């Protein structure tokens, strides 16, 4: 559950090999098991399940009571933390963090009488990582 909000695998290759030996499953079966458990928890996050609803959904797919209990205890212990991490995660790689703007209006010019020429300047700050920002400037007339 600690890495659910990221797309990194929950176990290293060495840990996954130890799981294969400990569970007596092939690598493909361990990967399938981990993907299935990840799907259960991602569904709980998406639907914002409480423990009771999460357990009921696991029982509805005829998962054994002992497995339901283990997954429900894990969800109960980490649900608030996982939901908060998902709330703070951005779905996009670039995030607009700041907008500065300025509006200028030219009302006259020495060669022309009355002129109404608005100019808008925008300076956008875009973050593409925790410490990586870009400035984008635009001018509209």
């Amino acid at each position: 559950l600690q890495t659910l909000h990221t797309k990194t695998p929950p176990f290293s290759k060495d840990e996954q090999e130890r799981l294969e030996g400990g569970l007596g499953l092939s690598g493909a079966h361990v990967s399938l098991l981990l993907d299935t458990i990840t799907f259960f928890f991602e569904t709980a996050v998406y639907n914002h399940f409480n423990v009771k609803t999460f357990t009921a959904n696991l029982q509805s797919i005829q998962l054994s009571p002992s497995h339901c209990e283990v997954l429900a205890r894990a969800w109960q212990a980490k649900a608030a933390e996982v939901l908060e991490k998902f709330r703070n995660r951005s779905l996009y790689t670039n995030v607009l963090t700041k907008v500065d703007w300025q509006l200028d209006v030219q009302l006259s010019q020495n060669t022309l009488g009355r002129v109404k020429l608005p100019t808008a300047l925008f300076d956008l700050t875009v973050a593409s990582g925790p410490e990586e920002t870009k400035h984008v400037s635009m001018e509209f007339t």
Side-chain angles (χ1 to χ4, degrees):
L1 282 173
Q2 293 174 350
T3 60
L4 187 63
H5 67 286
T6 65
K7 292 297 177 186
T8 58
F11 297 104
S12 68
K13 290 190 183 281
D14 183 47
E15 291 170 329
Q16 194 159 347
E17 287 173 4
R18 283 190 272 160
L19 274 174
E20 291 170 18
L23 296 173
L25 298 173
S26 68
H29 285 108
V30 168
S31 292
L32 179 61
L33 177 64
L34 293 174
D35 288 346
T36 303
I37 292 170
T38 299
F39 175 75
F40 291 159
F41 288 123
E42 286 176 345
T43 302
V45 168
Y46 180 78
N47 293 301
H48 206 282
F49 286 158
N50 60 26
V51 177
K52 187 175 182 179
T53 307
F54 182 62
T55 305
N57 279 328
L58 292 174
Q59 290 170 344
S60 73
I61 60 169
Q62 299 176 1
L63 198 62
S64 74
S66 62
H67 292 131
C68 289
E69 184 182 335
V70 168
L71 293 173
R73 272 192 273 138
W75 181 244
Q76 184 174 17
K78 295 288 186 176
E81 180 183 334
V82 170
L83 289 169
E84 186 62 29
K85 286 179 180 178
F86 268 91
R87 275 189 208 107
N88 293 330
R89 185 185 78 173
S90 174
L91 298 175
Y92 303 101
T93 55
N94 295 323
V95 177
L96 181 63
T97 58
K98 185 177 177 185
V99 177
D100 290 325
W101 60 276
Q102 177 180 338
L103 179 62
D104 297 322
V105 180
Q106 181 180 1
L107 296 175
S108 66
Q109 192 175 21
N110 64 356
T111 58
L112 297 173
R114 291 188 157 184
V115 176
K116 291 182 183 174
L117 183 63
T119 303
L121 302 169
F122 290 93
D123 183 40
L124 309 175
T125 304
V126 179
S128 55
E131 296 181 18
E132 201 174 320
T133 59
K134 299 177 193 170
H135 289 279
V136 179
S137 296
M138 297 181 288
E139 180 175 340
F140 298 98
T141 53

